[in-house]
Amino acid sequence: MHRAGVLCRLASPSRMASSMRVGMGSTRSTQSNLVSSSLSSPKSIRHQSSAAAAVKHEQFMNGSSSIYIEQMYESWQRDPSSVHSSWNAYFKNVEAGCGPGQAFQAPPLSSSGSIGQISVSPTRDVSPSSDAIHSVADHLKVQLLIRSYQTRGHNIADLDPLGINSADLDDTVPPELELSFYGLSDADLDRQFLLPPTTYIGGDEKILSLREIVNRLKSIYCNKTGIEYMHLTNFEQQEWIRKRFEAPKATELSHEQKKVLFKRLIRSTKFEEFLAKKWPSEKRFGLEGCEVLIPAIKQVIDSSSSLGVDSVVIGMPHRGRLNVLANVCRQPLSTILSQFSTLEPADEGSGDVKYHLGVCIERLNRQSQRNIKIAVVANPSHLEAVDPVVMGKVRAEAFYAGDNKHDRTMAILMHGDAAFSGQGVVMETFNLDDLPSYTTHGAIHLVVNNQIGFTTDPRFSRSSPYCTDVGRVVGCPIFHVNVDDPEAVMHVCSVASEWRKTFKRDVIVDLVCYRRQGHNELDEPMFTQPLMYQKIKATKPVLDIYQKHIIQEGVANEQYVKDELTKYGQILEDAYENAQKVTFVRNRDWLDSPWDDFFKKRDPLKIPSTGIEEEKMNHIIEKFSSVPEGFNLHRGLERTLKGRKQMQADDSVDWSIGEALAFGSLLTEGTHVRLSGQDVERGTFSHRHHVLHDQKEDLKVYNPLNDLAESQATYTVCNSSLSEYAVLGFELGYSMVDPNSLVIWEAQFGDFSNTAQCIIDQFISSGQSKWIRQSGLVMLLPHGYEGMGPEHSSARPERFLQMCNEDDTIDASKAAFGGTFEAQQLHDTNWIVANCTTPANIFHLLRRQVTMPFRKPCIVMTPKSLLRHPLARSPVSHFLSGSKFQRVIPENNISNPSNVQRVIFCTGKVYYDLVAARKHVGKENEVALARVEQLSPFPYDLVMEECTKYPQAELVWAQEEHKNMGGWTFVQPRFNSLLATCTQPGSGRVISYAGRLPSASPATGNKYTHYQEQKEMLSKTLDVPKSSLEGFKA
Ligand SMILES: Cc1ncc(C[n+]2csc(CCOP(=O)(O)OP(=O)(O)O)c2C)c(N)n1
Ligand SMILES: [Mg+2]
């Protein structure tokens, strides 16, 4: 076990006792082993040594003091002279066998209710001098005082540049920061104290006066930086932070660094000023009040770049975004400025407002002299929604770069104070932090904490002291810093970068600032925050403050300042002039994930075949049906694997094999496949079993699809945390990095996808249109009415269909069916919505995602009962070369189409119910059943073929979903416009509906009602009385 872990575990009296027992004469590492064994053995605890017992039962021992005393004790063990003589005496006495209260005696104290109420019984056998005892007690108190500053100093730090709000919403002074709490007073200030090993405030000095101790603690912990780190459960990490803030001069910058900082502040400030001057009535969500954000990000990037990072992905909200694009990413100023004019877009896409746009650039970092790629991910208004998308993108970038520990790839996430504490996706994203298949090994978070969210002040928008408290859950250190001290900001940013590099964990920099304007530049903040804005009006911009500071310090003179201001002013004017010459805007300039050459080699309107060679199929099924020698497989799974082989032999393979063949074939062709979601490794319905668990050895697993060939691509299948919003966002981000991949997110039940609605609406459905960003992400959504109640029946296909961009009418007389019709439809659609009924069809659909010459998200309603349905099988030939995805599966069993009186179109699992019911009522020659497997883009051409085959027949759309749900409202206008305009026989017909009535709830919770409704639907569809379905069971 890690030493730090042990120490933390000891931070309670009982654990302290254990450590003392085993620590006597033992090394730290053996100590840790012994500690765990002693903790697990009550007997051994009962027989602990008297030394430990003595300490454990001291009345002064509590959770806080124990860690100090342990430090002292360890130090004393190594070298008795390393601790004060009073401690030396105390530990000697303890080891000599003094019981609790006997090793020293503290003097009585005056203050009541304080921790200083140390009263012990008189000594018996040992009587050290009363001076020594006094001194031990006072040292102990001073150590506690130091620890209290380390723990709570931030509560009284000077964090608010306005001086009106306390950043932690509490303006009281924690009592443990007062001398009186320990029974100390001003009279003690000049007494000398040996510093404990848990502080670096002394530098080379081991002894300081109490006055100096308090002064130093105040300047470190209660000045413009508030450091929250004592919640970390790792002692080494705490020590690391202490060193970086407590050591004298730790936070100082060189003159050169100060000048760089000043120049960056000029850019940040003057950029906003310039926009305000040129476009006074445009919304831009300026950075005024937090201008230091630009130098802060740049400092994080510089430091990280020096530490080896070469790719940074940034997620950020509206505030200051243009400034970041201009001054951090160095998007050409004229390109940014041209966004303020009303110019026609010159390329595809519907575009987005300027403060949502992304960008991706690669350039030399001047400070580190290393190349660095910086991407800002485009995002919607929906605050924090981009967080998981950024994390997924970072994860994928590192994956493809082989940067497994994220040494070279990292995320920077920016947040507003209100959104950071208010939005649940923040927590969901943090929760991915340490999960093996999701971790990005730490992100750096920067909070623009302007102490307001639109018109709501923090006292009404959060219930926790700081807006950053969510980060404590995952053990982030949190650095709060007053933006009026830009040098302090630079220091925390450097420490944050170094922290991330060292510990590969998240870190938060809380920039406590203000918002000089209203929520946007057109808003009047005095309506709601009159006092705050009076104060803001009287507050000088940080550039003025810092300018004065560097001149006073002699870092720069007036002339230098003037020159720098003029230089940047000229840059802005030149850019403005250039922007006037721009005649169009290009959405492509704002692409955050460009796939430069990938599609250039492909015919844009050709969908290659998706069948595979028989040999490949045999190999995959062979692997998918076996485990390595010596692997202890569950008995039930032995049967499952055997069954897989048998299905192939019987020429009738099931869903799990169809899926495995799709993944396996892509993997062997070099395409990375990633399947993520809740319980996906086994599969919610236990059909998949892609990760087999040895029954005798913990964590020994076998993943057959990762064992297909040496040269295969990686298959990642990972059970996710119980989140939809963050995990779907993550997978979307992952899918944005390399088009040669199949990235799939599966919902436990399709219904649950609605907790990720923002990712679906704002990114997946509209992402390409807004940001010309393609994604081939697949969403697998279990769907189907099987009597499982309102929440486990419907994946809400109607919603996905309603968001399709396809026109719901067609002029069939003019449409050019055949040729490139199918490819063109796919090219134009915003996403594909499918509901497959055969293993072969899901196989082809998944493969088509990768063979298509472009990328489209694909939403698939997937089955539950069909996973085991004896008819939902495919013959081997349906997977082989020459076979392809069937957008419509026509009726194939009717020999004489003229007998057909009714053609039933349907989609998904209801098909099998209809097949069985049709047989039950003996209508196999009169009723034709056609399956629409791809609902969107709507297969007009194939649907027309089906209608034309039966020109006299009635056309019915059957569905098990309620009338206001399912596919009906989507297909109805399409069928009818097709039939109205086609010139083939049977034109002019309309399609009628057979299914459940409209409803507010997706499905009944009552099994009986479910069966009644299902029977009703079947009787309507087949046009038979309900009584004829008596005894029928689907
Ligand atoms: C999910 C979501 N809900 C509501 C809004 C509307 N909205 C836009 S900005 C804003 C206030 C944000 O405050 P904060 O996070 O502190 O950022 P600031 O604007 O202060 O920089 C709100 C409520 C939004 N954009 N996203
Ligand atoms: Mg805010």
Side-chain angles (χ1 to χ4, degrees):
M1 186 193 286
H2 204 271
R3 174 184 167 254
V6 176
L7 291 172
C8 297
R9 280 153 36 83
L10 294 177
S12 72
S14 62
R15 287 177 176 171
M16 169 76 178
S18 308
S19 101
M20 296 293 269
R21 179 182 68 80
V22 295
M24 303 285 174
S26 66
T27 64
R28 281 177 181 170
S29 56
T30 54
Q31 186 180 1
S32 65
N33 295 336
L34 289 164
V35 168
S36 23
S37 65
S38 75
L39 288 175
S40 60
S41 159
K43 201 168 163 209
S44 66
I45 290 173
R46 250 178 276 127
H47 292 285
Q48 59 201 338
S49 79
S50 56
V55 174
K56 180 184 172 185
H57 293 110
E58 294 290 11
Q59 290 187 20
F60 59 75
M61 184 62 78
N62 65 20
S64 321
S65 55
S66 63
I67 200 156
Y68 283 100
I69 294 169
E70 195 209 355
Q71 293 284 321
M72 281 292 170
Y73 182 67
E74 282 185 6
S75 202
W76 175 79
Q77 274 188 313
R78 279 194 304 272
D79 173 11
S81 69
S82 68
V83 302
H84 191 263
S85 54
S86 52
W87 279 111
N88 185 15
Y90 171 72
F91 289 131
K92 266 194 197 158
N93 290 342
V94 166
E95 289 221 331
C98 289
Q102 296 171 338
F104 75 87
Q105 184 178 7
L109 292 159
S110 53
S111 66
S112 64
S114 73
I115 203 166
Q117 284 180 313
I118 303 167
S119 100
V120 293
S121 52
T123 54
R124 213 179 28 196
D125 305 330
V126 185
S127 24
S129 79
S130 81
D131 274 359
I133 292 163
H134 206 124
S135 180
V136 167
D138 284 353
H139 269 79
L140 196 53
K141 293 178 209 163
V142 171
Q143 285 166 29
L144 288 177
L145 177 72
I146 293 172
R147 185 180 167 86
S148 295
Y149 270 92
Q150 292 169 336
T151 309
R152 298 217 49 197
H154 57 85
N155 289 96
I156 56 165
D158 177 14
L159 298 178
D160 179 9
L162 301 177
I164 50 171
N165 261 338
S166 188
D168 64 344
L169 303 181
D170 181 1
D171 54 10
T172 59
V173 178
E176 63 267 39
L177 297 183
E178 309 272 16
L179 289 180
S180 57
F181 186 77
Y182 305 91
L184 295 168
S185 70
D186 288 356
D188 296 303
L189 283 174
D190 291 319
R191 283 173 61 196
Q192 301 289 311
F193 287 88
L194 182 73
L195 296 169
T198 47
T199 187
Y200 295 89
I201 58 172
D204 294 336
E205 295 165 285
K206 288 196 165 166
I207 296 174
L208 290 178
S209 67
L210 181 57
R211 184 187 308 281
E212 189 58 23
I213 290 172
V214 172
N215 283 346
R216 291 191 189 188
L217 288 170
K218 279 196 171 146
S219 83
I220 293 160
Y221 288 106
C222 311
N223 202 354
K224 305 287 179 181
T225 307
I227 314 159
E228 265 192 285
Y229 70 107
M230 293 296 277
H231 57 283
L232 304 182
T233 53
N234 179 315
F235 185 76
E236 184 195 346
Q237 293 176 353
Q238 290 187 354
E239 281 285 281
W240 188 94
I241 288 174
R242 267 196 275 277
K243 249 185 233 164
R244 273 145 191 87
F245 285 93
E246 290 189 351
K249 299 190 194 289
T251 59
E252 282 183 12
L253 301 187
S254 70
H255 279 202
E256 203 35 53
Q257 287 170 319
K258 290 180 186 194
K259 280 183 174 165
V260 170
L261 165 57
F262 176 61
K263 285 192 262 188
R264 289 174 173 178
L265 274 178
I266 291 181
R267 283 183 170 261
S268 172
T269 310
K270 295 297 164 184
F271 177 79
E272 298 293 353
E273 257 180 50
F274 186 77
L275 296 185
K277 191 173 78 191
K278 298 285 185 195
W279 293 279
S281 55
E282 274 279 335
K283 274 192 212 169
R284 64 191 149 84
F285 295 101
L287 202 46
E288 293 97 326
C290 194
E291 291 90 343
V292 82
L293 178 68
I294 300 300
I297 306 172
K298 287 181 83 84
Q299 184 63 28
V300 166
I301 293 176
D302 289 351
S303 311
S304 303
S305 169
S306 310
L307 294 167
V309 169
D310 51 30
S311 174
V312 171
V313 183
I314 298 178
M316 72 172 298
H318 50 283
R319 181 114 11 242
R321 193 176 179 109
L322 294 173
N323 210 326
V324 169
L325 296 181
N327 289 318
V328 176
C329 307
R330 294 292 173 92
Q331 175 79 322
L333 276 173
S334 54
T335 311
I336 296 175
L337 301 186
S338 60
Q339 286 288 321
F340 284 85
S341 33
T342 30
L343 293 172
E344 197 184 340
D347 55 1
E348 58 179 305
S350 56
D352 200 350
V353 291
K354 47 191 167 295
Y355 39 84
H356 288 167
L357 298 173
V359 75
C360 181
I361 54 117
E362 195 156 352
R363 57 194 287 261
L364 182 76
N365 180 281
R366 281 221 209 110
Q367 303 297 316
S368 67
Q369 287 299 308
R370 296 178 77 249
N371 260 357
I372 186 151
K373 189 170 96 182
I374 305 174
V376 177
V377 177
N379 62 272
S381 262
H382 295 54
L383 294 166
E384 306 290 350
V386 79
D387 300 1
V389 181
V390 168
M391 302 315 257
K393 183 166 156 64
V394 167
R395 171 89 192 179
E397 282 202 3
F399 170 81
Y400 293 113
D403 177 22
N404 296 338
K405 291 282 173 207
H406 287 251
D407 290 308
R408 288 175 278 126
T409 323
M410 73 168 216
I412 299 179
L413 287 181
M414 278 172 252
H415 314 271
D417 53 320
F420 198 42
S421 58
Q423 290 291 306
V425 70
V426 173
M427 178 58 214
E428 285 190 35
T429 308
F430 268 125
N431 194 39
L432 299 177
D433 255 20
D434 237 2
L435 308 185
S437 298
Y438 299 84
T439 178
T440 56
H441 295 275
I444 298 184
H445 301 261
L446 294 168
V447 185
V448 174
N449 179 1
N450 52 21
Q451 310 181 77
I452 191 163
F454 208 152
T455 66
T456 306
D457 92 44
R459 291 169 298 180
F460 301 95
S461 75
R462 66 172 190 260
S463 297
S464 67
Y466 290 105
C467 66
T468 51
D469 284 326
V470 61
R472 295 170 66 103
V473 175
V474 288
C476 281
I478 301 164
F479 306 129
H480 310 279
V481 57
N482 183 328
V483 292
D484 273 355
D485 186 347
E487 292 183 6
V489 174
M490 292 308 102
H491 180 66
V492 296
C493 287
S494 306
V495 174
S497 310
E498 224 191 306
W499 161 273
R500 196 248 157 212
K501 163 77 185 168
T502 309
F503 297 107
K504 296 290 176 55
R505 301 196 67 89
D506 285 50
V507 51
I508 298 174
V509 174
D510 177 19
L511 299 169
V512 188
C513 57
Y514 56 92
R515 190 188 70 190
R516 189 168 289 280
Q517 315 282 347
H519 175 58
N520 61 59
E521 291 67 29
L522 313 179
D523 235 9
E524 174 49 84
M526 292 291 278
F527 288 153
T528 50
Q529 269 73 29
L531 300 185
M532 183 187 221
Y533 273 80
Q534 279 169 27
K535 196 80 198 208
I536 289 175
K537 278 179 193 155
T539 304
K540 283 216 158 75
V542 68
L543 182 63
D544 295 3
I545 298 173
Y546 196 57
Q547 181 176 315
K548 204 165 148 201
H549 176 78
I550 56 169
I551 292 173
Q552 265 171 4
E553 263 198 333
V555 172
N557 57 28
E558 303 272 2
Q559 190 56 42
Y560 174 86
V561 167
K562 209 167 140 204
D563 290 349
E564 288 300 326
L565 286 166
T566 316
K567 225 190 280 175
Y568 188 58
Q570 195 53 50
I571 290 173
L572 287 166
E573 286 299 345
D574 292 348
Y576 183 73
E577 216 169 282
N578 287 337
Q580 306 311 303
K581 296 177 202 148
V582 177
T583 53
F584 56 83
V585 288
R586 263 196 319 246
N587 290 328
R588 193 153 285 283
D589 290 338
W590 303 92
L591 200 49
D592 56 21
S593 311
W595 294 335
D596 288 338
D597 295 323
F598 187 75
F599 297 116
K600 285 193 183 143
K601 298 167 227 143
R602 303 180 177 215
D603 179 343
L605 288 179
K606 185 165 186 293
I607 312 290
S609 153
T610 42
I612 57 172
E613 310 84 57
E614 192 157 8
E615 210 175 301
K616 190 183 278 180
M617 178 170 181
N618 291 343
H619 176 66
I620 296 167
I621 298 182
E622 173 62 34
K623 280 286 186 183
F624 194 49
S625 316
S626 42
V627 286
E629 197 79 11
F631 192 88
N632 300 298
L633 191 64
H634 187 275
R635 291 289 275 285
L637 288 176
E638 275 175 20
R639 282 192 299 277
T640 304
L641 298 203
K642 242 190 218 152
R644 286 174 179 167
K645 256 198 191 129
Q646 191 56 45
M647 281 191 270
Q648 186 189 17
D650 295 344
D651 195 24
S652 168
V653 306
D654 73 357
W655 200 272
S656 75
I657 298 181
E659 207 182 62
L661 285 171
F663 297 174
S665 56
L666 290 170
L667 291 164
T668 55
E669 290 158 19
T671 300
H672 169 45
V673 178
R674 177 178 164 100
L675 170 61
S676 147
Q678 291 151 29
D679 308 293
V680 295
E681 295 175 7
R682 188 201 74 172
T684 297
F685 311 104
S686 206
H687 79 290
R688 186 172 287 134
H689 295 288
H690 284 187
V691 178
L692 301 167
H693 292 257
D694 191 288
Q695 298 294 301
K696 294 190 177 154
E697 206 176 309
D698 186 30
L699 294 179
K700 182 175 170 189
V701 292
Y702 178 61
N703 181 337
L705 294 179
N706 246 337
D707 189 26
L708 295 172
E710 287 266 311
S711 58
Q712 74 167 92
T714 305
Y715 176 45
T716 306
V717 54
C718 40
N719 290 347
S720 72
S721 65
L722 210 167
S723 144
E724 287 79 24
Y725 192 169
V727 178
L728 180 60
F730 189 96
E731 301 312 333
L732 174 76
Y734 199 100
S735 78
M736 280 156 38
V737 175
D738 189 340
N740 185 32
S741 61
L742 179 65
V743 183
I744 305 172
W745 175 76
E746 182 173 71
Q748 188 118 81
F749 284 90
D751 330 46
F752 295 120
S753 69
N754 62 11
T755 70
Q757 202 62 49
C758 177
I759 299 293
I760 296 167
D761 293 0
Q762 267 63 41
F763 290 87
I764 303 178
S765 138
S766 54
Q768 184 178 356
S769 177
K770 293 193 286 193
W771 309 313
I772 57 168
R773 175 166 83 192
Q774 297 189 26
S775 160
L777 180 72
V778 175
M779 290 173 65
L780 298 181
L781 307 177
H783 171 82
Y785 282 53
E786 284 157 8
M788 293 177 81
E791 261 61 83
H792 290 65
S793 299
S794 177
R796 300 296 206 154
E798 62 279 2
R799 300 220 183 126
F800 294 96
L801 292 169
Q802 186 258 333
M803 280 192 272
C804 292
N805 62 354
E806 184 187 70
D807 196 344
D808 65 357
T809 54
I810 191 169
D811 185 343
S813 65
K814 293 188 184 139
F817 293 152
T820 57
F821 180 77
E822 178 186 354
Q824 188 69 53
Q825 268 196 319
L826 288 169
H827 176 273
D828 295 345
T829 194
N830 60 328
W831 61 17
I832 298 158
V833 180
N835 190 350
C836 301
T837 56
T838 69
N841 232 17
I842 186 77
F843 161 85
H844 288 292
L845 179 73
L846 292 173
R847 282 181 56 79
R848 191 181 71 173
Q849 280 302 98
V850 178
T851 59
M852 281 195 301
F854 37 75
R855 291 290 170 266
K856 295 289 167 177
C858 183
I859 321 299
V860 195
M861 306 300 134
T862 53
K864 294 171 287 183
S865 60
L866 293 198
L867 299 173
R868 291 183 178 74
H869 197 291
L871 293 180
R873 300 277 182 90
S874 297
V876 165
S877 62
H878 283 195
F879 297 88
L880 300 181
S881 309
S883 57
K884 60 178 286 207
F885 176 65
Q886 289 186 279
R887 290 174 292 141
V888 171
I889 304 183
E891 172 67 68
N892 286 323
N893 293 320
I894 287 182
S895 47
N896 188 354
S898 59
N899 282 345
V900 170
Q901 292 160 12
R902 211 165 236 243
V903 185
I904 298 170
F905 288 88
C906 63
T907 187
K909 161 242 164 198
V910 71
Y911 166 77
Y912 292 101
D913 295 341
L914 285 164
V915 169
R918 178 177 67 172
K919 189 170 179 196
H920 186 86
V921 299
K923 285 203 168 193
E924 281 163 302
N925 293 323
E926 300 154 43
V927 173
L929 285 168
R931 288 170 265 178
V932 180
E933 303 270 304
Q934 176 180 294
L935 285 153
S936 171
F938 191 66
Y940 282 110
D941 49 343
L942 302 182
V943 166
M944 195 170 79
E945 270 178 31
E946 277 311 281
C947 294
T948 313
K949 260 191 228 166
Y950 316 98
Q952 311 302 331
E954 254 185 282
L955 305 174
V956 175
W957 174 262
Q959 66 176 35
E960 41 182 13
E961 297 88 356
H962 288 278
K963 193 173 182 184
N964 53 332
M965 300 168 193
W968 171 239
T969 51
F970 181 81
V971 301
Q972 186 194 24
R974 286 168 173 77
F975 265 99
N976 290 348
S977 76
L978 181 70
L979 293 161
T981 55
C982 78
T983 51
Q984 272 84 343
S987 66
R989 286 175 290 175
V990 290
I991 190 150
S992 56
Y993 171 79
R996 286 175 167 83
L997 296 172
S999 165
S1001 167
T1004 173
N1006 180 294
K1007 268 250 157 78
Y1008 174 84
T1009 313
H1010 165 74
Y1011 288 123
Q1012 287 305 314
E1013 287 177 355
Q1014 200 75 352
K1015 213 173 257 182
E1016 177 103 21
M1017 180 269 294
L1018 292 171
S1019 84
K1020 271 198 257 173
T1021 309
L1022 294 165
D1023 194 24
V1024 292
K1026 249 165 78 178
S1027 56
S1028 66
L1029 287 161
E1030 217 49 58
F1032 168 75
K1033 205 158 184 333

